[in-house]
């Protein structure tokens, strides 16, 4: 540690998403109100703020209203209010049926919400944070949690730069810095690699169900002006996933003749032959979806895991020296299919708790008042109301689970006296290949459907090839000796970026890892049935560079 440069701050924030940026802004607002100086540093692994941000996104502005009540006058990029809100059941690849408005759980209604680029909102929030005095460092990875001699979190160590693939130091080598803080906020997003470590280290999930995840795959399209209907929001359930997996599709019209389309596949699926990427390519050919895209041009592609377990899967969010907030903890409201507003609110609550502590005479090591404030806030009440939303879908399926949720949310406001749980981790739900038939997916037509490599190209993903792989195999033999015979090595299909392949070399099957392709979705870390793959941060600035996503 003596070789590392040390920088000290009052607060270090890991992650430039909506949770971390909201927290940074609110800390500085409160410091100014109290006429106190508080130093805040925010590190973001993307090449710029927003580069790694991917979400649908239909956003409830409730938390933004609290942070910046005059956000419209300030020019926040929420330009397209929802005007048309539809939910459809897709029976098959041709037939669909629209649900009447009264048939939709009220939590899924989108009146007053906005169709936005979440990346652009984060860029705007970063500007506001810097105006307030926050030191924002994009391109810096938080590689390791730093603990003091008592076991308290004292900050993070940024990733070393200039390490060759063989582990040696290149001429450009520069050791990472120790960023010390009185309090550290971890806001890395879903399945944050440090958040995962902290949950294990402190046993934060000992009283929670396993977290459950979905894989969201999204494309951004430019469409002809005559097809553009800004404010149109379409959600679907049923085909193409059907009985194979939970989840659903979405299509939103933004401003500037742009449309976003995507598919979320629940990662508790059983069939190892299922490919979420190929299911998404099929999805775009459904007449309901295709009519919005035909004649358009695909301009960006991305994928990201979604923490969707809700309250049942929420770990303790405070520990000695810091907090775990937003999707790093799993605060998405599954009943609304929204996590931005809840992530931002946890950031605001974290800021208030930290400032109160810093201004007090004896700052506590563990911010227990945050937990009380969280439970009493609207975000705590939202998650309490939808606590059964995901486990009941897992138990009863999309159709009957949806019917239960309609009764629970629309008639009882989430107060039905039943408690559903799902204690099977998503990776453990995968069944042996011998129980299933291979799925033959149609070849992409190059108009609506595309191959993986051309999609990864549109994500602007790049990593320095001469660096250690950030996809770590605990046992390099497991993919071929265990996963291949048992599950036909599902990494070939659950990865939406073509990172994992089984190739033949000199008559033998070899597991090939194309880490250069990785879009940082974290699906491999979640779904590998042997839990043999661990995602860690690559060298700074590596990964996708999403525009307007």
């Amino acid at each position: 540690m003596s070789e590392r440069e040390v920088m000290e701050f009052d607060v270090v924030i890991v992650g430039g998403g909506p949770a971390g940026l909201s927290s940074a802004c609110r800390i500085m607002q409160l410091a100014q109100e109290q006429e106190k100086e508080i130093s805040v540093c925010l590190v973001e692994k993307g090449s710029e703020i927003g580069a790694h941000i991917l979400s649908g996104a239909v956003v409830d502005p409730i938390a933004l209203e609290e942070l910046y009540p005059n956000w419209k006058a300030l020019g926040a990029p929420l330009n397209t209010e929802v005007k048309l809100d539809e939910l459809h059941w897709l029976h098959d690849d041709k037939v669909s049926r629209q649900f009447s408005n009264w048939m939709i759980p009220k939590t899924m209604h989108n009146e007053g919400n906005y169709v936005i680029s979440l990346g652009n909102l984060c860029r705007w929030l970063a500007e506001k944070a810097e105006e307030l005095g926050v030191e924002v460092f994009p391109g810096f990875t938080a590689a390791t949690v730093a603990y003091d001699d008592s076991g308290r979190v004292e900050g993070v160590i940024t990733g070393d730069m200039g390490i060759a693939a063989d582990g040696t130091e290149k001429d450009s080598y520069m050791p990472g810095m120790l960023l010390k803080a009185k309090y550290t906020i971890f806001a890395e997003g879903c399945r944050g690699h440090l958040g995962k470590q902290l949950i294990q280290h402190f046993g934060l999930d000992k009283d929670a169900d396993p977290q459950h995840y979905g894989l969201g795959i999204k494309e951004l399209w430019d469409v002809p002006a005559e097809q553009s209907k800004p404010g149109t929001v379409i959600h679907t359930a049923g085909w193409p996933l059907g009985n194979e997996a939970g989840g659903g599709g979405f299509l939103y019209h933004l401003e500037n003749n742009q449309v976003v389309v995507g598919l979320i596949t629940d990662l508790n699926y059983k069939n190892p032959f299922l490919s979420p990427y190929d299911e998404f390519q099929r999805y775009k050919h459904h007449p309901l979806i295709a009519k919005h895209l035909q004649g358009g041009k695909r301009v960006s592609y991305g994928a990201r895991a979604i923490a969707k377990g809700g309250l049942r899967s929420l770990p303790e969010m405070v520990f000695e020296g810091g907090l775990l907030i937003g999707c790093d903890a799993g605060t998405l409201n599954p009943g609304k299919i929204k996590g931005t507003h809840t992530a931002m609110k946890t950031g605001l609550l974290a800021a208030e708790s930290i400032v109160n502590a810093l201004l007090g005479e004896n700052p506590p090591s563990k911010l227990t008042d945050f937990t009380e404030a969280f439970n009493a806030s609207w975000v705590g009440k939202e998650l309490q109301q939808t606590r059964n939303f995901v486990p009941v879908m897992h138990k009863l399926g999309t159709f009957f689970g949806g019917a239960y949720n309609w009764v629970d949310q629309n008639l009882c406001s989430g107060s039905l006296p039943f408690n559903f749980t799902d204690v099977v981790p998503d990776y453990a739900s995968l069944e042996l290949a011998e129980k299933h038939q291979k799925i033959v997916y149609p070849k992409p037509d190059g108009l609506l459907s595309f191959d993986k490599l051309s999609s990864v190209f549109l994500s602007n993903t790049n990593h320095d090839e001469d660096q250690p792989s950030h996809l770590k195999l605990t046992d390099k033999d497991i993919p071929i000796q265990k996963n291949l015979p048992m599950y036909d090595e599902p990494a070939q299909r659950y990865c939406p970026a073509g990172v994992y392949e089984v190739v033949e070399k000199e008559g033998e099957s070899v597991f090939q890892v194309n880490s250069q392709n990785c879009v940082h979705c974290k699906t491999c870390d979640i779904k590998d049935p042997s839990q043999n793959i661990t995602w860690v941060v690559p060298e700074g600035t590596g990964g996708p560079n999403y525009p307007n996503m």
Side-chain angles (χ1 to χ4, degrees), residues 83-101:
K83 297 178 181 177
L84 181 68
D85 188 15
E86 297 179 353
L87 176 63
H88 296 255
W89 179 266
L90 306 188
H91 293 276
D92 53 32
D93 62 348
K94 297 286 192 298
V95 180
S96 64
R97 179 183 178 186
Q98 183 178 346
F99 288 94
S100 299
N101 196 53

Side-chain angles (χ1 to χ4, degrees), residues 19 186-187 189 314 317 324-332 339 342-344 346-347:
F186 294 85
L314 197 65
M317 297 168 67
L324 194 66
I325 65 171
C327 290
D328 214 351
T331 59
L332 177 142
T342 54
M344 291 180 69
T346 63

Side-chain angles (χ1 to χ4, degrees), residues 56-58 84-86 88 115 218-219 221 223 227 229 231-236 248-254 258-263 280 283-284 286-294:
V58 174
L84 181 68
D85 188 15
E86 297 179 353
H88 296 255
V115 183
K218 171 186 172 181
E219 292 176 351
W221 286 64
V223 300
Q227 287 176 212
K229 300 176 181 178
T232 295
V233 168
I234 295 172
H235 289 106
T236 70
F250 60 91
L251 185 143
Y252 311 145
H253 283 253
L254 287 156
Q258 290 196 311
V259 168
V260 298
V261 59
L263 183 71
F280 173 50
Y283 175 70
K284 289 179 290 178
H286 195 285
L288 178 72
I289 303 302
K291 66 183 181 181
H292 294 270
L293 305 177
Q294 286 170 342

Side-chain angles (χ1 to χ4, degrees), residues 266-320:
D266 291 351
L267 289 179
N268 68 333
Y269 65 81
K270 298 177 180 180
N271 186 346
F273 295 112
L274 187 141
S275 165
Y277 178 88
D278 291 297
E279 296 291 346
F280 173 50
Q281 299 310 309
R282 288 206 297 164
Y283 175 70
K284 289 179 290 178
H285 284 273
H286 195 285
L288 178 72
I289 303 302
K291 66 183 181 181
H292 294 270
L293 305 177
Q294 286 170 342
K297 179 183 178 182
R298 188 176 68 140
V299 295
S300 190
Y301 166 86
R304 190 68 170 93
I306 302 163
K308 55 183 279 293
L311 188 67
R312 299 281 186 216
S313 302
L314 197 65
E316 186 178 0
M317 297 168 67
V318 296
F319 45 85
E320 300 290 325

Side-chain angles (χ1 to χ4, degrees), residues 178-189:
L178 170 59
L179 304 178
K180 293 186 68 173
K182 295 172 183 174
Y183 296 103
T184 306
I185 298 173
F186 294 85
E188 306 161 283

